[in-house]
Amino acid sequence: MKPTRQIIHCDADCFYASVEMRDDPSLRGRPLAIGGEADRRGVVATCNYEARKFGVRSAMSMAYARRLCPGLIVRRPDMEKYRQLSLQIRDIFERYTQLVEPLSLDEAFLDVTEHPYLDAMAIAAQIRQQVAMELGITISAGVAPNKFLAKIASDWEKPDGLTQIAPEQVAEFVARLPVQKIFGVGKVTGQKLQAMGVLYCADLLPYSLEQLEYRFGRFGKQLYQLCRGIDERPVQPSRRRKSLSVEQTYAQDLPDLDACLDELPLLLQKLEKRLEPLLGSYQLHKPFVKVKFSDFSSTTVEKNGADYSQQSFAELMAEAFGRAFKPVRLLGVGVRFR
Ligand code: TTP
Ligand code: MG
């Protein structure tokens, strides 16, 4: 028999809204939606949990959301910021395993079965804590023997929740799940099941595999397995990463090159820390430095054959700064892999 797997599903809580609340604490505790404006046929990308109390939801028109929640604050999304944060979250995941399968910017599966000394619950707890401490947002996590259950578990005590479905609890847990929780059960299948008197996974158990295949075709097998809590899909890691970097946006612009160089040791220290766990499986190719100026223009300088000393990064930084000679709002240092 195969050993029981330990799968974690992580999903950030009201992701875009959390990031905006982090960066502007005056938004906290007030209903907030991220998306396009009402007068421009905008829709809600997401909203915080205060807004959800009013019934505001993702994909709803902003105009309707405003009617549901008259005090709603609306902010435009800043995709670059969310993408950057998403990578930083992934870096935290990769401290524990290379088997990370991102599903979207704020969601991923991890297979931590092979971790030498931590169990999945300990890892999930550490990840949640590190994301909160280092990145300033909360994520919910679910721990289970497979992807199907880990994903349901992460949703169970959202927001800021951690839920485990241990192997011995699987049968009982799944039996009580509404069939709609099975992925692939949409409106049509849901109605068909309802007509059969099937509301919960337990109601599916009396049907044989052949019976379900007869009624649902290929999907029958999936139903047969999932209603028993069986899901063999592996966690499929994303394409290999091509680079790793750390970036910092400064509360006050750095006025000149010296001020930038002063920040370099701290940035490199952070880079080194993130790089360390990857060095076994990745080969360094070249260092690079990114500079974003006060006018939001940005530039990246990298160099073949350069080493990874502070001196080498300092030279790249000088070159990048020299391209505009303006105050700097963000600095990044990174390495590209082969
Ligand atoms: P979700 O994880 O589905 O939602 P969420 O993180 O905002 O809230 P929850 O606490 O329930 O997990 O999606 C992640 C981000 O993707 C979300 O912050 C915004 C974006 N998104 C859209 O732009 N449009 C959509 O319809 C949905 C569902 C999400
Ligand atoms: Mg989310």
Side-chain angles (χ1 to χ4, degrees):
M1 221 177 88
K2 280 189 233 158
T4 311
R5 291 181 300 158
Q6 297 206 54
I7 309 297
I8 303 175
H9 179 258
C10 292
D11 186 335
D13 303 318
C14 59
F15 185 49
Y16 299 179
S18 295
V19 179
E20 299 310 325
M21 291 191 287
R22 176 195 72 179
D23 294 347
D24 179 357
S26 77
L27 298 171
R28 286 195 197 136
R30 301 158 73 192
L32 168 70
I34 310 301
E37 259 309 335
D39 56 351
R40 277 176 246 148
R41 300 173 177 232
V43 293
V44 177
T46 193
C47 60
N48 65 4
Y49 282 75
E50 282 79 2
R52 290 182 199 194
K53 287 184 202 145
F54 292 84
V56 179
R57 294 286 180 273
S58 290
M60 177 181 278
S61 85
M62 194 61 82
Y64 185 54
R66 278 200 188 280
R67 258 179 276 147
L68 289 175
C69 179
L72 190 66
I73 301 170
V74 177
R75 290 286 151 92
R76 307 225 117 220
D78 180 347
M79 293 311 297
E80 197 196 319
K81 190 157 78 172
Y82 310 144
R83 271 193 288 273
Q84 177 64 31
L85 191 68
S86 178
L87 291 176
Q88 290 177 299
I89 297 174
R90 187 155 351 146
D91 288 338
I92 292 180
F93 295 157
E94 289 179 352
R95 292 173 191 170
Y96 299 93
T97 178
Q98 290 300 308
L99 290 176
V100 177
E101 177 181 342
L103 300 178
S104 68
L105 285 185
D106 84 326
E107 222 185 304
F109 286 114
L110 286 67
D111 183 336
V112 297
T113 314
E114 301 291 335
H115 196 282
Y117 56 90
L118 289 172
D119 69 22
M121 275 303 270
I123 293 173
Q126 287 188 16
I127 287 174
R128 280 174 19 80
Q129 194 186 15
Q130 289 170 3
V131 170
M133 300 278 288
E134 297 173 31
L135 307 177
I137 64 162
T138 60
I139 67 173
S140 296
V143 170
N146 61 48
K147 286 179 165 186
F148 166 50
L149 295 170
K151 186 160 164 109
I152 290 173
S154 73
D155 206 38
W156 211 247
E157 289 172 86
K158 223 173 201 320
D160 203 12
L162 172 59
T163 304
Q164 179 177 32
I165 303 170
E168 63 275 14
Q169 299 169 319
V170 167
E172 199 190 327
F173 183 90
V174 180
R176 282 192 247 163
L177 278 184
V179 282
Q180 278 76 15
K181 291 277 183 188
I182 294 181
F183 54 89
V185 175
K187 215 168 153 200
V188 176
T189 314
Q191 281 169 354
K192 211 161 150 186
L193 287 165
Q194 201 172 357
M196 290 160 60
V198 172
L199 298 178
Y200 296 92
C201 287
D203 303 330
L204 273 174
L205 293 177
Y207 292 89
S208 68
L209 175 59
E210 290 70 28
Q211 285 171 322
L212 290 177
E213 280 179 335
Y214 177 72
R215 284 174 199 243
F216 296 96
R218 279 205 307 196
F219 186 55
K221 183 166 180 200
Q222 199 166 318
L223 275 177
Y224 181 86
Q225 293 191 326
L226 292 174
C227 77
R228 287 167 172 76
I230 300 168
D231 174 17
E232 307 275 1
R233 291 173 303 157
V235 170
Q236 288 176 311
S238 54
R239 288 178 293 121
R240 282 177 74 75
R241 64 155 67 235
K242 296 199 175 92
S243 66
L244 175 78
S245 63
V246 297
E247 291 187 4
Q248 176 74 46
T249 305
Y250 297 97
Q252 276 175 334
D253 289 349
L254 306 171
D256 52 28
L257 178 59
D258 279 344
C260 294
L261 291 174
D262 284 344
E263 298 295 332
L264 191 54
L266 188 61
L267 286 169
L268 289 177
Q269 208 182 324
K270 284 190 190 162
L271 179 64
E272 205 176 305
K273 207 169 136 215
R274 302 244 172 96
L275 198 53
E276 204 183 61
L278 297 181
L279 285 177
S281 29
Y282 286 86
Q283 219 186 338
L284 294 175
H285 181 38
K286 53 188 170 184
F288 69 90
V289 164
K290 174 177 162 185
V291 175
K292 195 190 247 181
F293 298 98
S294 52
D295 62 0
F296 283 86
S297 65
S298 74
T299 187
T300 300
V301 180
E302 55 188 40
K303 197 164 170 203
N304 273 323
D307 62 25
Y308 301 90
S309 64
Q310 185 166 326
Q311 177 61 27
S312 174
F313 279 98
E315 282 165 22
L316 296 176
M317 193 171 273
E319 188 178 332
F321 182 80
R323 287 179 179 174
F325 277 104
K326 287 189 185 123
V328 167
R329 56 177 278 119
L330 171 147
L331 286 176
V333 294
V335 294
R336 300 207 190 284
F337 299 113
R338 254 177 227 291

